[in-house]
Amino acid sequence: SRTDLEYFVIAGGPREILKETLLLTGGAPVFPKWSSGFINSEWGIDQKKLLEHVSTYRKKNIPIDAFILDFDWKSWGEDDYGEWRWNTDTFPDGASGRLAKKLEAQGITLGGIFKPRIHVNTEQGRFAQKHGWFWPNKPSYSDYFSQAPVNDLNFAIPECRAWFWRHLVPAYDAGMRAYWNDEADEGFDSREFMHMQQALYEGQRSHDGRRVWSINRNSYAGNQRFAYALWSGDIQSTWKSMKSQRERLLSAVNLGMMRWCMDTGGFNGTPDPENYARWMQFAAFCPIFRVHGSMDVQRQPWFYGEKAEKAASDAIRLRYSLLPYIYSYEKQYHDSGVYLVRPLFWENAESGFDNYVDGWYFGDWLAVFPVVDSGEKKKRIVLPPGKWYGYFDGKEYSGGEQFIPCDSENWSDIPLFIREGAVIPHAEPVASTAFASYRSGDIDVFPADAQSSLSHYDDEGATYR
């Protein structure tokens, strides 16, 4: 019945389509450099445990850049401001900023969970009700965490967005620098997640010059302009669930949702050591590398035995050695709408890669085929046309079907291949990107008959300057 519809038809290959879509729906701000590293999320944590975890990462020489806190960081439901305020019982140095400063000295950025709902029987709940900022005709409901009545804010209202941010400023100034937005897909508008992150993005941009970062549980066209990433929700801790994440990743990329991650290790349950090790190797070649689990579940490598710890830690270190290569694609995404992960069919439409999920391009010059089956001794893969080299053994491969041996005993291998003509900057792994400079380093070159290049990009990584 509407008469004001506009239709856009975009013709071309995947890159052209995504670039034009970006022009229509808005460009993506560059993410902070720390978010290219490894991130640990946890539910069921306090300040003491957090500091112990960070100390163990550092003692074991396992790189990490950020820690994202669940409900535990807030005084959720405690008083009129509990939805925005540090819980000083669980994090005594949170509200003062001393905790963030202590972690910052170790190269750790702090982030926390945010919900679209607030408690209704509070000063702020009554204020929101008076101004019509809850969803129309939606009755309040019992919050599963506080057991008190709550309702969801309508972030499509600009005044509501600004009001929400003002309450968050003290926590932000105390070091809460990253946003994990959750459960905003249970309202009445499919754009609720986008508008919720819009509140945080616009608020932070008006407050200081730091880069904004968020993950969200749902996606909508145009969300990328608010420094937006997607994670795949509360998945199970099983081999089957891990395997199915490949389709989620590649489908998100095809829709232009380039910044994607998952609860590595699964949210519900505990993976066996082999599953955990292989999942970490898979996640190391996702746009965002992050672990998480349900309440009081640990996802640190040392909780899964020596073999899994070594395999997982090596995957993290490999990611960090490739950060000069990985970070170069931040600028490419900002400019063209294309980021790190690309389905193989993008460049091989005539080569039978339709619906192929066993592997993907990681940037222009790498292809990865994660091991996703327990006890696998030999993995069948299909390499794109051309000449390839094994990343770890230097062996030469031709495009087409290959059977790659897998280390079913120690899970130490990742089927990773370098395309002929590759130009790959890399560096020695460091504990955190906060301690790294990628203005100098090594470049691996794999000559080919045709000319090839890589645009290497670097900056100070923290602000929009």
Side-chain angles (χ1 to χ4, degrees):
S1 61
R2 290 180 59 177
T3 59
D4 60 342
L5 292 179
E6 292 180 278
Y7 293 85
F8 296 87
V9 178
I10 305 172
R15 289 174 182 269
E16 291 78 18
I17 291 170
L18 289 167
K19 186 171 185 177
E20 295 299 319
T21 302
L22 206 70
L23 291 174
L24 287 172
T25 63
V30 176
F31 263 5
K33 189 178 287 185
W34 62 260
S35 65
S36 296
F38 174 60
I39 301 168
N40 194 148
S41 296
E42 188 159 330
W43 182 12
I45 191 170
D46 57 20
Q47 180 170 315
K48 182 174 182 291
K49 186 188 289 188
L50 170 60
L51 293 173
E52 287 173 355
H53 285 332
V54 171
S55 176
T56 305
Y57 275 113
R58 294 294 176 247
K59 286 176 182 175
K60 288 178 173 286
N61 193 30
I62 303 173
I64 182 173
D65 259 83
F67 229 101
I68 313 294
L69 309 173
D70 210 306
F71 269 115
D72 318 281
W73 83 270
K74 296 182 179 186
S75 291
W76 183 258
E78 184 177 298
D79 58 19
D80 292 335
Y81 297 91
E83 289 86 333
W84 297 273
R85 185 168 61 77
W86 276 95
N87 185 334
T88 52
D89 291 333
T90 52
F91 293 91
D93 294 330
S96 68
R98 288 192 297 270
L99 175 61
K101 285 185 172 63
K102 189 178 295 186
L103 292 170
E104 187 178 341
Q106 299 183 70
I108 302 293
T109 296
L110 266 179
I113 201 164
F114 294 86
K115 307 285 184 177
R117 59 184 179 273
I118 63 171
H119 291 77
V120 298
N121 295 327
T122 62
E123 176 186 346
Q124 299 312 313
R126 288 185 287 272
F127 187 89
Q129 181 69 49
K130 178 181 176 181
H131 286 78
W133 290 346
F134 290 128
W135 281 100
N137 305 315
K138 181 176 183 179
S140 61
Y141 58 96
S142 178
D143 178 71
Y144 64 81
F145 198 75
S146 68
Q147 308 303 315
V150 293
N151 213 334
D152 294 347
L153 294 168
N154 183 354
F155 286 101
I157 302 170
E159 295 80 9
C160 178
R161 294 199 297 266
W163 173 83
F164 187 85
W165 167 256
R166 285 196 299 272
H167 287 73
L168 183 59
V169 168
Y172 175 81
D173 286 343
M176 184 54 64
R177 301 285 190 235
Y179 313 112
W180 167 21
N181 300 321
D182 191 19
E183 298 177 348
D185 42 14
E186 299 175 1
F188 293 97
D189 187 335
S190 58
R191 295 171 296 174
E192 173 78 340
F193 258 117
M194 182 171 78
H195 288 311
M196 182 178 177
Q197 176 52 24
Q198 182 180 1
L200 301 172
Y201 177 78
E202 291 174 344
Q204 184 176 324
R205 289 302 305 265
S206 69
H207 189 67
D208 65 20
R210 290 187 184 91
R211 295 185 194 174
V212 187
W213 183 90
S214 72
I215 56 171
N216 306 267
R217 202 173 70 179
N218 214 327
S219 178
Y220 195 88
N223 56 31
Q224 69 278 349
R225 65 187 187 270
F226 302 121
Y228 197 104
L230 175 69
W231 104 94
S232 61
D234 297 346
I235 58 178
Q236 302 301 310
S237 298
T238 64
W239 285 92
K240 181 180 178 182
S241 177
M242 177 184 74
K243 200 170 183 176
S244 73
Q245 293 306 299
R246 300 172 305 169
E247 289 95 322
R248 275 90 181 139
L249 163 63
L250 297 175
S251 295
V253 168
N254 280 333
L255 292 168
M257 191 63 254
M258 294 285 168
R259 289 166 166 159
W260 182 96
C261 64
M262 58 187 158
D263 288 352
T264 302
F267 179 75
N268 294 306
T270 301
D272 64 61
E274 183 189 6
N275 189 193
Y276 174 81
R278 292 306 194 185
W279 213 326
M280 289 289 281
Q281 293 167 347
F282 172 1
F285 289 91
C286 289
I288 296 171
F289 186 8
R290 168 183 159 273
V291 294
H292 185 53
S294 56
M295 192 171 188
D296 297 325
V297 169
Q298 305 302 317
R299 288 286 181 261
Q300 292 76 27
W302 53 90
F303 284 97
Y304 292 87
E306 290 184 10
K307 284 199 302 184
E309 178 182 341
K310 185 178 189 313
S313 301
D314 285 348
I316 296 172
R317 294 185 190 105
L318 176 59
R319 171 87 174 201
Y320 274 73
S321 73
L322 289 170
L323 280 182
Y325 174 80
I326 291 170
Y327 191 68
S328 290
Y329 289 97
E330 275 294 328
K331 184 66 162 57
Q332 186 176 116
Y333 179 43
H334 173 74
D335 290 342
S336 69
V338 176
Y339 192 39
L340 275 163
V341 171
R342 305 92 181 266
L344 296 183
F345 86 85
W346 276 25
E347 297 182 20
N348 307 280
E350 307 303 321
S351 302
F353 284 100
D354 294 8
N355 296 314
Y356 186 84
V357 300
D358 285 351
W360 50 87
Y361 291 117
F362 193 69
D364 293 311
W365 299 113
L366 297 174
V368 64
F369 301 80
V371 176
V372 293
D373 290 305
S374 178
E376 191 163 25
K377 291 181 170 63
K378 188 172 286 187
K379 183 175 180 67
R380 178 191 175 273
I381 69 168
V382 183
L383 281 168
K387 187 185 294 183
W388 295 82
Y389 301 94
Y391 188 91
F392 299 101
D393 62 12
K395 182 180 175 183
E396 187 176 310
Y397 295 85
S398 298
E401 184 180 66
Q402 302 285 347
F403 291 90
I404 307 301
C406 301
D407 180 4
S408 60
E409 180 64 31
N410 294 304
W411 326 313
S412 63
D413 54 336
I414 304 173
L416 178 63
F417 300 87
I418 304 167
R419 195 204 306 245
E420 182 184 37
V423 181
I424 302 178
H426 63 94
E428 285 297 314
V430 292
S432 164
T433 58
F435 309 134
S437 171
Y438 300 128
R439 286 166 175 79
S440 63
D442 297 321
I443 299 176
D444 289 335
V445 180
F446 293 77
D449 293 336
Q451 186 178 11
S452 58
S453 64
L454 174 90
S455 295
H456 176 54
Y457 176 81
D458 193 34
D459 57 25
E460 47 87 21
T463 75
Y464 291 104
R465 292 195 301 271

